[in-house]
Amino acid sequence: YSILFIVFIILIIVTAFITIALTYFQLAVEDHRWWWRSMVCGGSTGVFIYGYCFYYFFARSDMTGFMQTSFFFGYMLMICYGFFLMLGTIGYRASLAFVRHIYKAIKCE
């Protein structure tokens, strides 16, 4: 399980850094509505995973029937929603820390 834990830590770090970079680009063009966009940027990995589930189901698996289809897509929807919330929260918290850090450094004189 150690390699899985290392990959999970890398996922968290990459999500935080990519969301911080996208928040910086957004603030650089003077768009200060970064809150929900940072949540969506971080959580978009969950949407990608759910899209990959369609490829896996139709191209790789041998599942047939209504029950297998509904169970597969239902459970994967819940798992991907969990990933969306988890990574979206990580992206939001990282962006919040970044924005607080850069605005704390501004000197008003």
Side-chain angles (χ1 to χ4, degrees):
Y1 292 110
S2 63
I3 189 70
L4 187 63
F5 181 71
I6 292 170
V7 170
F8 180 70
I9 296 300
I10 291 171
L11 174 67
I12 290 173
I13 292 170
V14 167
T15 300
F17 285 162
I18 293 297
T19 308
I20 288 171
L22 292 174
T23 302
Y24 175 75
F25 293 146
Q26 185 174 356
L27 292 174
V29 296
E30 297 180 4
D31 184 7
H32 300 287
R33 295 172 293 167
W34 59 269
W35 303 280
W36 285 107
R37 195 167 296 169
S38 66
M39 179 80 172
V40 171
C41 288
S44 63
T45 305
V47 177
F48 174 77
I49 293 171
Y50 196 66
Y52 181 76
C53 291
F54 283 95
Y55 167 75
Y56 178 81
F57 183 80
F58 291 115
R60 300 281 179 160
S61 72
D62 294 328
M63 290 185 262
T64 57
F66 176 74
M67 291 301 288
Q68 286 184 338
T69 304
S70 63
F71 269 74
F72 178 76
F73 286 114
Y75 278 113
M76 288 310 296
L77 182 66
M78 289 188 285
I79 290 169
C80 292
Y81 183 65
F83 266 96
F84 181 85
L85 290 178
M86 178 185 65
L87 295 175
T89 303
I90 289 168
Y92 172 75
R93 299 288 291 185
S95 292
L96 180 65
F98 171 72
V99 168
R100 285 185 177 173
H101 177 74
I102 63 171
Y103 282 123
K104 191 187 302 184
I106 294 175
K107 300 204 187 301
C108 295
E109 294 181 31

